[in-house]
Amino acid sequence: ILSLKPVFIAREQVYPSREFLWLQLLNKGHRLVAMAVADAHSVHGNGVGGWRMYMPSVSDEPAEIDWRENSRHAKAGRSILTTGPFLQVRTADGAGPGEDTRSSGGVELAIRVQCTDWIDIDRVQILVNGRPRPDLNFTRKTHPDMFGNGVEKFSRKVRVDLSEDAHLIVVAAHEEMTLSLGYGTSDQAKLRPCAYHNPIFVDV
């Protein structure tokens, strides 16, 4: 289970995190799919759903959802991992998480982040081959015009210039806020709002 935290964006860690190891394995060409899950071990003090996954579906009617379709999407990495923020990312030609696209010189990512009224995000960071690039780091402090205060927190098209093949991951997070308002005494309350996706692979 990978649990990317906002701190990985800018701070060094003494020991390699699971996230760091995953990103390095992706750089080595291993298409390992990140998955998220939350479980409960007792009746009191648990926060089921602290980490969850979103995947595409042919229907949003519960009775019509096909678990076999979900399984195919999960195995292919067509998923978003999140503690709350709802993140959507697509290239101009429609490629999304877990998918491939070809583009000479780079791609344009359409990024949209929505949140319920008790959480927020204050940073959107695009990782190129697992590394944060300064020109692809957007915060409420440095780019206030890019962020909203309603349900829709971020909705932008961002150009990512590339000179070589790359895998791209968008991370949307809040660096200070926790989930305490929604999860109370649960250990899940210590988590921060954070969402990211399995890579989009770009053939330059």
Side-chain angles (χ1 to χ4, degrees), residues 111-130:
I111 305 169
R112 187 182 187 209
V113 185
Q114 296 171 283
C115 292
T116 186
D117 59 2
W118 55 273
I119 59 172
D120 195 4
I121 61 162
D122 62 4
R123 181 188 293 271
V124 171
Q125 171 79 68
I126 301 173
L127 304 180
V128 179
N129 290 330

Side-chain angles (χ1 to χ4, degrees), residues 66-144:
D66 185 350
W67 68 266
R68 290 161 294 196
E69 179 195 15
N70 287 350
S71 179
R72 289 192 297 271
H73 287 315
K75 289 178 180 180
R78 291 189 286 268
S79 55
I80 303 292
L81 291 73
T82 182
T83 61
F86 185 66
L87 170 66
Q88 295 169 290
V89 182
R90 288 279 170 191
T91 63
D93 63 354
E99 298 177 336
D100 296 76
T101 186
R102 286 187 176 186
S103 182
S104 177
V107 296
E108 183 180 74
L109 295 180
I111 305 169
R112 187 182 187 209
V113 185
Q114 296 171 283
C115 292
T116 186
D117 59 2
W118 55 273
I119 59 172
D120 195 4
I121 61 162
D122 62 4
R123 181 188 293 271
V124 171
Q125 171 79 68
I126 301 173
L127 304 180
V128 179
N129 290 330
R131 297 176 177 87
R133 262 180 26 191
D135 62 315
L136 299 173
N137 179 33
F138 311 102
T139 71
R140 280 189 184 273
K141 184 176 181 180
T142 60
H143 299 78

Side-chain angles (χ1 to χ4, degrees), residues 4 12 17 28 40 55 70 80 86 93 119 142 150 164 169 182 202:
L4 269 165
E12 295 181 358
S17 66
K28 291 289 187 180
M55 294 172 289
N70 287 350
I80 303 292
F86 185 66
D93 63 354
I119 59 172
T142 60
E164 61 183 0
I169 299 172
V202 184

Side-chain angles (χ1 to χ4, degrees), residues 22-94:
W22 175 57
L23 295 171
Q24 292 305 307
L25 287 166
L26 290 173
N27 286 338
K28 291 289 187 180
H30 301 285
R31 290 205 177 190
L32 299 178
V33 174
M35 305 192 81
V37 66
D39 57 358
H41 297 276
S42 63
V43 174
H44 175 74
N46 282 271
V48 177
W51 275 101
R52 69 203 77 147
M53 290 171 57
Y54 288 110
M55 294 172 289
S57 174
V58 296
S59 175
D60 59 3
E61 293 292 334
E64 297 174 9
I65 293 173
D66 185 350
W67 68 266
R68 290 161 294 196
E69 179 195 15
N70 287 350
S71 179
R72 289 192 297 271
H73 287 315
K75 289 178 180 180
R78 291 189 286 268
S79 55
I80 303 292
L81 291 73
T82 182
T83 61
F86 185 66
L87 170 66
Q88 295 169 290
V89 182
R90 288 279 170 191
T91 63
D93 63 354

